[in-house]
Amino acid sequence: MKRLVIIGPGNIAKFHIQALKYFNFEIVGCISRDGSNSSHEFMSNYGKNKSEYFSDFNYMLHNTNEWDAVLISCPTINQFEYIDKLSKFQKPILVEKPVSLSIDKLVKYKNNSNIMVAFNRRYYESVKEFKTFVNLSKNIFINVNIPESSKSINEKSPSNFLPISIYENSIHIFDLINYLFDNVSWSNIISSNNSKLEFLSAHGLCKSGSPIVINLMLDSPENFSISANVGNKKVQLKPIEMYRLYEGFQIDEPSDQVPIRRYSPRVIDESYSESIMNCKPGFYNQAKTFSELCDGKKDITFPNINDAAKAIESINSISKLIKEI
């Protein structure tokens, strides 16, 4: 049994626990902010009363023999504080993204091998297939669409131009860009010419020399998507859970219903990331990897603090280009 402490028993924690339960994790501690009753409400859903777990962080710090691993799923503003206090124990930590919005804070722990960041989309089968195709291809052109919400644009953000949701939600996409295409150098952008950002198009080069374009369209009726064109083939994640491989065109001749000739990309392969054991996509395999980390398994790869720092750095690079316009 792996004795787990949850810090931040919110909705996302429920998805983690649903997956972690398949790998012999037992909740022995559940900690929420001072004055909150959420830890007790959360644990009651798992049939545990207050005598069966601890809920005090100071108790946790002074009784490290009573727990083996930690899930940190509290709001971003508090995540790094817990990392800072727990890292010295060198026990496995699974922390929700983005961990911190500060590069300076993140780089402090970029080499810690016991901290795993919950970029669960890396574990999608669709992403795995996409990465396999890209790794076997040369001279690719990459296009990314991010239709983020503008609702948080006035909330406190590291950027004066980008909404906080880019850092806390769309960071998944920036992590996938780094994961799929290695380091990207952003060179220039085109954006809406007014005080309120509505759209931007950022252009860059991957480490391989392949060009990449990100289209950020606030409130657009679009799906998040990543695509790569290679000759007469195109691979696409749209939404990220869905993988499609296109080759050539299918010609639809005029008909009574549609009196024009249409050229549609021909789908030759298609798959999607299914739920495993009724878990949210990506969470089961993410939990499996975290379990292996807890078991001390060697030679496993997982998203870490350095990956979170790289994703934040990519967003900051684009924000800097906006400022220079």
Coordinates of all heavy atoms in Angstrom, one line a residue, residues 10-74:
G10 N -10.0 19.3 -4.4 CA -11.1 19.9 -5.3 C -11.5 18.9 -6.3 O -11.2 17.7 -6.2
N11 N -12.1 19.4 -7.4 CA -12.7 18.5 -8.4 C -11.6 17.7 -9.1 O -11.8 16.5 -9.4 CB -13.5 19.4 -9.4 CG -14.8 19.8 -8.9 OD1 -15.4 19.2 -8.0 ND2 -15.3 21.0 -9.3
I12 N -10.4 18.4 -9.4 CA -9.4 17.7 -10.2 C -8.8 16.5 -9.3 O -8.4 15.5 -9.9 CB -8.3 18.6 -10.6 CG1 -7.4 18.0 -11.7 CG2 -7.4 19.1 -9.4 CD1 -8.1 17.7 -13.0
A13 N -8.8 16.7 -8.0 CA -8.3 15.6 -7.1 C -9.2 14.4 -7.3 O -8.6 13.2 -7.2 CB -8.3 16.1 -5.7
K14 N -10.4 14.5 -7.5 CA -11.3 13.4 -7.7 C -10.9 12.5 -8.9 O -10.9 11.3 -8.8 CB -12.8 13.8 -7.8 CG -13.3 14.5 -6.6 CD -14.8 15.0 -6.9 CE -15.3 15.8 -5.7 NZ -16.6 16.4 -6.0
F15 N -10.5 13.2 -10.0 CA -10.1 12.4 -11.2 C -8.8 11.7 -10.9 O -8.6 10.6 -11.3 CB -9.9 13.4 -12.3 CG -11.1 14.0 -12.9 CD1 -11.3 15.4 -12.8 CD2 -12.2 13.2 -13.4 CE1 -12.5 16.0 -13.3 CE2 -13.3 13.8 -13.8 CZ -13.5 15.2 -13.8
H16 N -7.9 12.3 -10.1 CA -6.6 11.7 -9.8 C -6.9 10.4 -8.9 O -6.3 9.4 -9.1 CB -5.7 12.6 -9.0 CG -5.0 13.6 -9.9 ND1 -4.1 13.3 -10.8 CD2 -5.2 15.0 -10.0 CE1 -3.7 14.4 -11.5 NE2 -4.3 15.4 -11.0
I17 N -7.7 10.6 -7.9 CA -8.0 9.5 -7.0 C -8.7 8.3 -7.7 O -8.4 7.1 -7.4 CB -8.8 10.0 -5.8 CG1 -8.1 11.0 -5.0 CG2 -9.2 8.8 -4.9 CD1 -6.7 10.6 -4.5
Q18 N -9.6 8.7 -8.6 CA -10.2 7.6 -9.4 C -9.2 6.7 -10.1 O -9.4 5.5 -10.2 CB -11.2 8.3 -10.4 CG -12.0 7.2 -11.1 CD -13.0 7.9 -12.1 OE1 -12.9 9.1 -12.4 NE2 -13.9 7.2 -12.7
A19 N -8.1 7.3 -10.6 CA -7.1 6.5 -11.3 C -6.1 5.9 -10.3 O -5.7 4.7 -10.4 CB -6.4 7.4 -12.2
L20 N -5.7 6.7 -9.3 CA -4.7 6.2 -8.3 C -5.1 4.9 -7.5 O -4.3 4.1 -7.1 CB -4.3 7.3 -7.4 CG -3.4 8.4 -8.0 CD1 -3.4 9.6 -7.1 CD2 -2.0 8.0 -8.4
K21 N -6.4 4.8 -7.4 CA -7.0 3.7 -6.6 C -6.6 2.4 -7.2 O -6.6 1.3 -6.5 CB -8.5 3.8 -6.4 CG -9.3 3.6 -7.6 CD -10.8 3.8 -7.4 CE -11.6 3.5 -8.6 NZ -13.1 3.7 -8.4
Y22 N -6.4 2.3 -8.5 CA -6.1 1.1 -9.2 C -4.6 0.7 -9.0 O -4.2 -0.4 -9.4 CB -6.3 1.2 -10.7 CG -7.8 1.3 -11.0 CD1 -8.3 2.5 -11.5 CD2 -8.6 0.2 -10.9 CE1 -9.7 2.6 -11.8 CE2 -10.0 0.3 -11.2 CZ -10.5 1.5 -11.6 OH -11.9 1.6 -11.9
F23 N -3.8 1.5 -8.3 CA -2.4 1.2 -8.1 C -2.0 1.2 -6.6 O -0.9 1.6 -6.3 CB -1.6 2.2 -8.9 CG -1.8 2.2 -10.4 CD1 -2.7 3.0 -11.0 CD2 -1.2 1.2 -11.2 CE1 -3.0 3.0 -12.3 CE2 -1.5 1.1 -12.5 CZ -2.4 2.0 -13.1
N24 N -3.0 0.8 -5.8 CA -2.7 0.5 -4.4 C -2.4 1.8 -3.6 O -1.5 1.7 -2.7 CB -1.6 -0.5 -4.3 CG -1.7 -1.3 -3.0 OD1 -2.7 -1.4 -2.4 ND2 -0.5 -1.8 -2.5
F25 N -3.0 2.9 -3.9 CA -2.8 4.1 -3.1 C -3.9 4.2 -2.1 O -5.1 3.9 -2.4 CB -2.9 5.4 -4.0 CG -1.6 5.6 -4.7 CD1 -1.4 5.1 -6.0 CD2 -0.6 6.4 -4.2 CE1 -0.2 5.3 -6.7 CE2 0.6 6.6 -4.9 CZ 0.8 6.1 -6.1
E26 N -3.6 4.5 -0.9 CA -4.5 4.7 0.2 C -4.4 6.1 0.8 O -3.3 6.6 1.1 CB -4.3 3.7 1.3 CG -5.2 3.8 2.6 CD -6.6 3.4 2.3 OE1 -6.8 2.7 1.3 OE2 -7.5 3.8 3.1
I27 N -5.5 6.9 0.9 CA -5.4 8.2 1.4 C -5.3 8.2 2.9 O -6.2 7.7 3.6 CB -6.7 9.0 1.0 CG1 -6.9 9.0 -0.5 CG2 -6.5 10.5 1.4 CD1 -8.3 9.6 -1.0
V28 N -4.2 8.8 3.4 CA -4.0 8.9 4.9 C -4.0 10.3 5.4 O -4.0 10.5 6.6 CB -2.7 8.2 5.3 CG1 -2.7 6.7 4.9 CG2 -1.5 8.9 4.6
G29 N -4.0 11.2 4.4 CA -4.1 12.7 4.8 C -4.8 13.5 3.8 O -4.6 13.2 2.6
C30 N -5.6 14.5 4.2 CA -6.3 15.3 3.2 C -6.3 16.7 3.8 O -6.8 17.0 4.9 CB -7.7 14.8 3.0 SG -8.6 15.7 1.7
I31 N -5.6 17.6 3.1 CA -5.3 19.0 3.7 C -5.9 20.0 2.8 O -5.7 20.1 1.5 CB -3.8 19.2 3.8 CG1 -3.2 18.2 4.8 CG2 -3.5 20.6 4.2 CD1 -1.7 18.1 4.8
S32 N -6.7 20.9 3.3 CA -7.3 22.0 2.6 C -6.9 23.3 3.3 O -6.2 23.3 4.4 CB -8.8 21.9 2.6 OG -9.4 21.8 3.9
R33 N -7.3 24.5 2.8 CA -6.9 25.7 3.3 C -7.5 25.9 4.7 O -8.5 25.3 5.1 CB -7.3 26.9 2.4 CG -8.8 27.1 2.3 CD -9.1 28.2 1.3 NE -10.5 28.4 1.2 CZ -11.4 27.7 0.4 NH1 -10.9 26.7 -0.3 NH2 -12.6 28.0 0.4
D34 N -6.8 26.7 5.5 CA -7.3 26.9 6.9 C -8.7 27.4 6.9 O -9.1 28.3 6.1 CB -6.4 28.0 7.6 CG -5.0 27.4 7.9 OD1 -4.8 26.2 7.8 OD2 -4.1 28.3 8.1
G35 N -9.5 26.9 7.8 CA -10.9 27.3 7.9 C -11.9 26.6 7.0 O -13.1 26.8 7.1
S36 N -11.3 25.8 6.1 CA -12.2 25.1 5.1 C -12.6 23.8 5.6 O -11.8 23.1 6.3 CB -11.5 25.0 3.8 OG -12.2 24.2 2.9
N37 N -13.8 23.3 5.3 CA -14.2 22.0 5.7 C -14.2 21.1 4.5 O -14.7 19.9 4.6 CB -15.7 22.1 6.2 CG -16.1 20.9 6.9 OD1 -15.4 20.4 7.8 ND2 -17.3 20.4 6.6
S38 N -13.5 21.5 3.4 CA -13.6 20.7 2.1 C -12.9 19.3 2.3 O -13.3 18.4 1.7 CB -13.0 21.5 1.0 OG -11.6 21.8 1.3
S39 N -11.8 19.3 3.1 CA -11.1 18.0 3.3 C -12.0 16.9 3.9 O -12.0 15.8 3.5 CB -9.9 18.2 4.2 OG -10.2 18.6 5.4
H40 N -12.8 17.3 4.9 CA -13.7 16.4 5.5 C -14.9 16.0 4.6 O -15.3 14.8 4.5 CB -14.3 17.0 6.8 CG -13.2 17.4 7.8 ND1 -12.2 16.5 8.1 CD2 -13.0 18.5 8.4 CE1 -11.4 17.1 9.0 NE2 -11.8 18.3 9.2
E41 N -15.4 17.0 3.8 CA -16.4 16.7 2.8 C -15.9 15.7 1.7 O -16.6 14.8 1.3 CB -16.9 18.0 2.2 CG -17.6 18.9 3.1 CD -18.0 20.2 2.5 OE1 -17.6 20.5 1.3 OE2 -18.6 21.1 3.2
F42 N -14.6 16.0 1.3 CA -14.0 15.1 0.3 C -13.8 13.7 0.8 O -14.2 12.7 0.1 CB -12.6 15.7 -0.1 CG -11.9 15.0 -1.2 CD1 -12.1 15.4 -2.5 CD2 -11.1 14.0 -0.9 CE1 -11.4 14.8 -3.5 CE2 -10.4 13.3 -2.0 CZ -10.6 13.7 -3.3
M43 N -13.3 13.6 2.0 CA -13.0 12.2 2.5 C -14.3 11.4 2.8 O -14.3 10.2 2.8 CB -12.1 12.3 3.7 CG -10.7 12.8 3.4 SD -9.8 11.8 2.3 CE -9.4 10.4 3.3
S44 N -15.4 12.1 3.2 CA -16.6 11.4 3.5 C -17.1 10.7 2.2 O -17.8 9.7 2.3 CB -17.7 12.4 4.0 OG -18.0 13.4 2.9
N45 N -16.8 11.2 1.0 CA -17.1 10.6 -0.2 C -16.5 9.2 -0.4 O -16.9 8.4 -1.2 CB -16.8 11.4 -1.4 CG -17.7 12.7 -1.5 OD1 -18.8 12.7 -1.1 ND2 -17.1 13.8 -1.9
Y46 N -15.4 9.0 0.4 CA -14.6 7.7 0.3 C -14.9 6.9 1.6 O -14.1 6.0 1.8 CB -13.2 8.0 0.1 CG -12.9 8.7 -1.2 CD1 -12.8 10.1 -1.3 CD2 -12.8 8.0 -2.4 CE1 -12.6 10.8 -2.5 CE2 -12.6 8.7 -3.6 CZ -12.5 10.1 -3.7 OH -12.4 10.7 -4.9
G47 N -15.9 7.3 2.3 CA -16.3 6.5 3.5 C -15.3 6.6 4.7 O -15.3 5.7 5.5
K48 N -14.6 7.7 4.8 CA -13.6 7.9 5.9 C -14.1 9.0 6.8 O -14.5 10.0 6.4 CB -12.2 8.2 5.3 CG -11.6 7.1 4.5 CD -10.1 7.1 4.6 CE -9.5 5.9 4.0 NZ -8.0 5.8 4.3
N49 N -14.0 8.7 8.1 CA -14.3 9.7 9.1 C -13.0 10.4 9.6 O -11.9 9.9 9.2 CB -15.1 9.1 10.3 CG -14.3 8.0 11.0 OD1 -13.1 8.1 11.3 ND2 -14.9 6.8 11.1
K50 N -13.1 11.4 10.4 CA -12.0 12.2 10.7 C -10.9 11.5 11.5 O -9.7 11.9 11.5 CB -12.5 13.4 11.5 CG -13.4 14.4 10.8 CD -13.8 15.6 11.6 CE -14.7 16.5 10.9 NZ -15.1 17.7 11.7
S51 N -11.2 10.4 12.1 CA -10.2 9.6 12.9 C -9.3 8.8 12.0 O -8.3 8.2 12.4 CB -10.9 8.7 13.9 OG -11.7 7.8 13.2
E52 N -9.7 8.7 10.7 CA -8.9 7.8 9.8 C -7.9 8.5 8.9 O -7.3 7.8 8.1 CB -9.9 7.0 8.9 CG -10.9 6.1 9.7 CD -11.9 5.4 8.8 OE1 -12.9 6.0 8.4 OE2 -11.6 4.2 8.4
Y53 N -7.7 9.8 9.1 CA -6.8 10.5 8.3 C -6.4 11.8 9.0 O -7.1 12.2 9.9 CB -7.3 10.9 6.9 CG -8.5 11.7 6.9 CD1 -8.4 13.1 6.8 CD2 -9.8 11.2 7.1 CE1 -9.5 13.9 6.9 CE2 -10.9 12.0 7.1 CZ -10.8 13.4 7.0 OH -11.9 14.2 7.0
F54 N -5.3 12.4 8.7 CA -4.9 13.7 9.3 C -5.2 14.8 8.3 O -5.3 14.6 7.1 CB -3.5 13.7 9.7 CG -2.4 13.5 8.7 CD1 -2.0 14.5 7.8 CD2 -1.9 12.3 8.5 CE1 -1.1 14.3 6.8 CE2 -0.9 12.0 7.5 CZ -0.5 13.1 6.7
S55 N -5.4 16.0 8.8 CA -5.8 17.2 7.9 C -5.0 18.4 8.2 O -5.3 19.5 7.8 CB -7.3 17.5 8.0 OG -7.6 17.8 9.4
D56 N -3.9 18.2 9.0 CA -3.1 19.4 9.4 C -1.7 19.3 8.7 O -1.0 18.3 8.8 CB -2.9 19.4 10.9 CG -2.1 20.6 11.4 OD1 -2.6 21.7 11.4 OD2 -0.9 20.4 11.7
F57 N -1.3 20.4 8.0 CA -0.1 20.3 7.3 C 1.2 20.3 8.2 O 2.1 19.6 7.9 CB 0.0 21.6 6.4 CG 1.2 21.6 5.5 CD1 1.4 20.5 4.5 CD2 2.2 22.6 5.6 CE1 2.5 20.5 3.7 CE2 3.3 22.6 4.7 CZ 3.5 21.5 3.8
N58 N 1.1 21.0 9.3 CA 2.2 20.9 10.3 C 2.4 19.5 10.8 O 3.5 19.0 11.0 CB 2.0 21.9 11.4 CG 2.3 23.3 10.9 OD1 3.2 23.6 10.1 ND2 1.5 24.3 11.5
Y59 N 1.3 18.8 11.1 CA 1.4 17.4 11.5 C 2.1 16.6 10.4 O 2.9 15.8 10.8 CB 0.0 16.9 11.8 CG 0.0 15.5 12.2 CD1 0.0 15.1 13.6 CD2 -0.1 14.4 11.3 CE1 0.0 13.8 14.0 CE2 -0.1 13.1 11.7 CZ -0.1 12.8 13.1 OH -0.1 11.5 13.5
M60 N 1.7 16.8 9.2 CA 2.3 16.1 8.1 C 3.9 16.3 8.1 O 4.6 15.4 7.9 CB 1.7 16.6 6.8 CG 2.3 16.0 5.5 SD 1.6 16.7 4.0 CE 2.5 15.7 2.8
L61 N 4.3 17.6 8.2 CA 5.7 17.9 8.2 C 6.5 17.2 9.3 O 7.7 16.8 9.1 CB 5.9 19.4 8.3 CG 5.4 20.2 7.1 CD1 5.7 21.7 7.4 CD2 6.1 19.9 5.8
H62 N 5.9 17.0 10.5 CA 6.6 16.4 11.6 C 6.3 14.9 11.8 O 6.8 14.3 12.8 CB 6.1 17.2 12.9 CG 6.6 18.6 12.9 ND1 5.9 19.7 12.5 CD2 7.8 19.1 13.3 CE1 6.5 20.8 12.6 NE2 7.7 20.5 13.1
N63 N 5.6 14.3 10.9 CA 5.3 12.9 11.0 C 5.4 12.3 9.6 O 4.5 11.6 9.1 CB 3.9 12.7 11.5 CG 3.7 13.1 13.0 OD1 4.0 12.4 13.9 ND2 3.3 14.4 13.2
T64 N 6.6 12.4 9.0 CA 6.9 11.9 7.7 C 6.9 10.4 7.6 O 6.8 9.9 6.4 CB 8.2 12.5 7.1 OG1 9.3 12.1 8.0 CG2 8.2 14.0 7.1
N65 N 6.9 9.7 8.7 CA 6.9 8.3 8.7 C 5.5 7.8 8.4 O 5.3 6.5 8.2 CB 7.4 7.7 10.0 CG 6.6 8.2 11.2 OD1 6.2 9.3 11.3 ND2 6.2 7.2 12.1
E66 N 4.5 8.7 8.4 CA 3.1 8.2 8.3 C 2.6 8.4 6.8 O 1.4 8.1 6.6 CB 2.2 9.0 9.2 CG 2.5 8.8 10.7 CD 1.5 9.4 11.6 OE1 0.4 9.8 11.1 OE2 1.8 9.6 12.8
W67 N 3.4 8.8 5.9 CA 3.0 9.0 4.5 C 4.1 8.7 3.6 O 5.3 8.8 3.9 CB 2.4 10.4 4.3 CG 3.3 11.5 4.6 CD1 3.4 12.1 5.9 CD2 4.2 12.2 3.8 NE1 4.3 13.1 5.9 CE2 4.8 13.2 4.6 CE3 4.5 12.1 2.4 CZ2 5.7 14.1 4.1 CZ3 5.5 13.0 1.9 CH2 6.1 14.0 2.7
D68 N 3.8 8.3 2.3 CA 4.8 7.9 1.3 C 4.8 8.8 0.1 O 5.8 8.9 -0.5 CB 4.5 6.5 0.8 CG 4.4 5.5 1.9 OD1 5.3 5.5 2.8 OD2 3.4 4.7 2.0
A69 N 3.7 9.5 -0.2 CA 3.6 10.3 -1.5 C 2.6 11.4 -1.3 O 1.7 11.3 -0.4 CB 3.3 9.4 -2.7
V70 N 2.6 12.4 -2.2 CA 1.8 13.5 -2.1 C 1.1 13.8 -3.5 O 1.8 13.8 -4.5 CB 2.5 14.8 -1.6 CG1 1.6 15.9 -1.3 CG2 3.4 14.5 -0.4
L71 N -0.1 14.2 -3.4 CA -0.8 14.8 -4.6 C -1.1 16.2 -4.2 O -1.8 16.5 -3.3 CB -2.1 14.0 -4.9 CG -3.1 14.8 -5.9 CD1 -2.5 14.9 -7.3 CD2 -4.4 14.0 -5.9
I72 N -0.5 17.2 -5.0 CA -0.8 18.6 -4.8 C -1.7 19.1 -5.9 O -1.3 19.2 -7.0 CB 0.5 19.4 -4.8 CG1 1.4 18.9 -3.6 CG2 0.2 20.9 -4.6 CD1 2.8 19.7 -3.6
S73 N -3.0 19.4 -5.5 CA -4.0 19.8 -6.5 C -4.7 21.1 -6.0 O -5.9 21.3 -6.4 CB -4.9 18.7 -6.8 OG -5.5 18.1 -5.6
C74 N -4.0 21.9 -5.2 CA -4.6 23.1 -4.8 C -4.4 24.2 -5.8 O -3.8 24.0 -6.8 CB -3.9 23.5 -3.5 SG -2.1 23.8 -3.6

